[in-house]
Amino acid sequence: SDSYEVTVSESRSLGLRVNAVYRQLWDAMRKDPAGYSSRDREHVQQYLTRAREFIDNLNQRRKTLKLIIEAVAAEQGSFLEEGTHALKPLTRLSIAHKLGLHESTVGRAVAGKYALIPAGEIIPCDMFFDSSLSVKEVIKDLLAGENPRKPYSDEQISAELAKRGIEIARRTVTKYREALKVPPAAQRRRYK
């Protein structure tokens, strides 16, 4: 299978460092502790520690996002190559299990994030996890190729989807068909 190179773009533009003034001050305080009050030393040490923790957390967040998107790209390769109709049903939980993370970590990492995919399109990362999107595309393709004299009922659509490995109930088919603004079979029937 194809492997994809994943880059987290903010990592290129975000070079955070601890302010040099604080680092120099801390070095001076360690060389000459008597020249500074314990309160001042504590203050500088506290701020240096907080700044380093903040930068470490940001770096960790970037690494986590990269890992998640790499795992998603490995699962959704056919979607990246062929488009929406090839989007596989994928859950945040399955990616979390694969990476040894909590589902909420995956959810938070991708929330509000966007990906530039090989087709040159920018999509919300949440789209990788919208299994209904691909099913709707398959339903749309099915209906486009149906016999207008014998249009598929929702039950038949469900059966056709099952043949393609997509197991969803008739009532879910009805919900998706309505979301696509497609009328029921009786209203789609053409007699000519």
Side-chain angles (χ1 to χ4, degrees):
S1 72
D2 289 312
S3 58
Y4 298 91
E5 187 179 329
V6 174
T7 310
V8 179
S9 61
E10 73 174 19
S11 59
R12 288 198 301 258
S13 60
L14 233 111
L16 289 180
R17 289 181 304 281
V18 175
N19 189 317
V21 173
Y22 267 85
R23 281 207 319 269
Q24 288 160 2
L25 189 56
W26 180 242
D27 289 341
M29 286 177 164
R30 283 196 324 215
K31 282 179 191 151
D32 178 23
Y36 302 89
S37 73
S38 64
R39 198 168 151 218
D40 285 345
R41 285 197 311 271
E42 211 174 284
H43 169 81
V44 170
Q45 185 179 15
Q46 187 183 2
Y47 274 83
L48 274 174
T49 304
R50 282 171 61 189
R52 284 191 187 118
E53 282 174 359
F54 179 75
I55 291 168
D56 289 347
N57 288 341
L58 269 184
N59 288 333
Q60 185 57 50
R61 197 183 77 169
R62 275 189 221 120
K63 279 182 198 155
T64 303
L65 181 60
K66 190 174 194 288
L67 277 175
I68 291 167
I69 299 302
E70 282 170 347
V72 166
E75 292 287 328
Q76 298 287 21
S78 50
F79 159 66
L80 293 172
E81 296 302 319
E82 301 163 34
T84 312
H85 70 278
L87 193 60
K88 287 185 199 163
L90 182 67
T91 64
R92 289 166 183 78
L93 185 62
S94 65
I95 292 293
H97 281 322
K98 198 173 189 176
L99 298 173
L101 299 170
H102 194 277
E103 183 181 9
S104 65
T105 304
V106 174
R108 278 195 310 271
V110 299
K113 305 286 188 319
Y114 290 81
L116 174 62
I117 60 174
E121 200 182 336
I122 294 176
I123 62 160
C125 289
D126 281 334
M127 187 172 163
F128 289 120
F129 300 101
D130 187 354
S131 58
S132 75
L133 199 61
S134 60
V135 177
K136 284 177 193 166
E137 287 290 323
V138 175
I139 291 172
K140 209 190 292 182
D141 288 350
L142 259 177
L143 297 179
E146 74 183 350
N147 179 344
R149 290 182 184 178
K150 288 189 213 155
Y152 292 120
S153 67
D154 291 346
E155 195 64 57
Q156 287 169 317
I157 293 169
S158 181
E160 287 297 318
L161 291 172
K163 287 180 196 170
R164 291 164 171 76
I166 303 168
E167 300 279 345
I168 60 169
R170 185 219 32 90
R171 65 183 174 278
T172 309
V173 169
T174 304
K175 190 172 81 178
Y176 290 168
R177 179 183 48 71
E178 288 169 352
L180 291 165
K181 302 198 177 349
V182 174
Q187 291 173 32
R188 298 196 313 271
R189 188 170 288 118
R190 299 284 171 266
Y191 297 99
K192 292 177 184 171

